[in-house]
Amino acid sequence: MIVLNNPNIHLFRYCPHCGRKNLAVSDKKSFLCGSCNFKFYLNTAAAGIALIFNKNNEILITERKYNPAKGLLDFPGGFVDPGESIDKCQIREVKEELNLDISSLDYFCSVPNTYTYKEVTYSITDFAFICGVNDFRPIKARDDISKFYFIKPAKLDKNRFGLDSPKIIIDRLREE
Ligand SMILES: [Zn+2]
């Protein structure tokens, strides 16, 4: 038997086109229906990560309110909605989570990642941007974050972050 590196190999059985229980893994991102030949793709989803610094060169980090990685640290951000640009996603997520308005966006780096929710593993491309904020006075923790902190990048403890992309981004920030 050929072992394919599809993380959802045992999860998707029913064809979304014909409804028969004849779906099998085709490759790392697709499934093929043995009855109607429909190919079902789980393509990579895009997500934004906002790197926000204050005047003291401290970076803004959040604490996750929900699983995955509840109670662990994260950067602000989230998934791009259908029909949305990565820029608009960053602006929306930072407003939702922290009530802050982003004034500028500068691409920093991109990291491939995975995200598992209720046993289904999604492949993600995280896009990190340095996001400018002119006014921090409206800041408050809301939506899916429980707390926020400003901290010098040199003092960040990677092990307190729940997901993998922030750990890679912290390394990149220290190289700068
Ligand atoms: Zn089918």
Side-chain angles (χ1 to χ4, degrees):
M1 190 185 128
I2 304 162
V3 178
L4 297 157
N5 65 341
N6 186 315
N8 301 302
I9 195 159
H10 300 299
L11 280 171
F12 292 85
R13 287 275 184 256
Y14 292 87
C15 173
H17 184 65
C18 74
R20 293 192 183 95
K21 193 181 179 180
N22 204 1
L23 210 60
V25 162
S26 178
D27 62 23
K28 65 182 176 183
K29 64 172 184 180
S30 72
F31 303 79
L32 182 66
C33 176
S35 296
C36 76
N37 260 346
F38 179 76
K39 213 166 185 190
F40 170 57
Y41 289 92
L42 268 185
N43 285 312
T44 299
I49 292 180
L51 308 175
I52 299 169
F53 290 88
N54 66 12
K55 286 191 182 113
N56 303 320
N57 258 325
E58 294 164 324
I59 194 164
L60 179 54
I61 56 172
T62 61
E63 193 176 290
R64 298 175 63 86
K65 196 170 178 179
Y66 305 114
N67 274 320
K70 180 183 172 183
L72 295 172
L73 302 181
D74 202 359
F75 291 118
F79 289 110
V80 178
D81 276 340
E84 188 177 53
S85 69
I86 186 77
D87 310 45
K88 287 274 160 45
C89 164
Q90 299 271 28
I91 292 164
R92 175 182 54 75
E93 287 284 350
V94 170
K95 186 73 177 175
E96 283 173 7
E97 294 181 349
L98 294 154
N99 196 35
L100 292 176
D101 293 310
I102 289 175
S103 55
S104 62
L105 284 153
D106 291 295
Y107 176 76
F108 182 68
C109 71
S110 170
V111 184
N113 196 5
T114 58
Y115 185 93
T116 301
Y117 176 68
K118 299 204 185 216
E119 294 172 48
V120 179
T121 298
Y122 301 88
S123 115
I124 312 296
T125 307
D126 282 317
F127 294 87
F129 285 73
I130 307 275
C131 299
V133 171
N134 292 326
D135 184 5
F136 283 99
R137 286 173 298 180
I139 194 166
K140 56 183 164 208
R142 54 188 199 178
D143 196 38
D144 52 0
I145 68 165
S146 52
K147 285 178 197 160
F148 62 85
Y149 315 85
F150 284 96
I151 188 165
K152 293 274 187 199
K155 288 189 176 167
L156 285 171
D157 178 0
K158 281 194 291 183
N159 297 321
R160 294 191 60 209
F161 282 75
L163 306 176
D164 290 335
S165 289
K167 299 177 188 185
I168 293 163
I169 291 165
I170 289 166
D171 285 337
R172 298 266 179 95
L173 282 169
R174 287 182 178 150
E175 287 164 14
E176 293 283 298

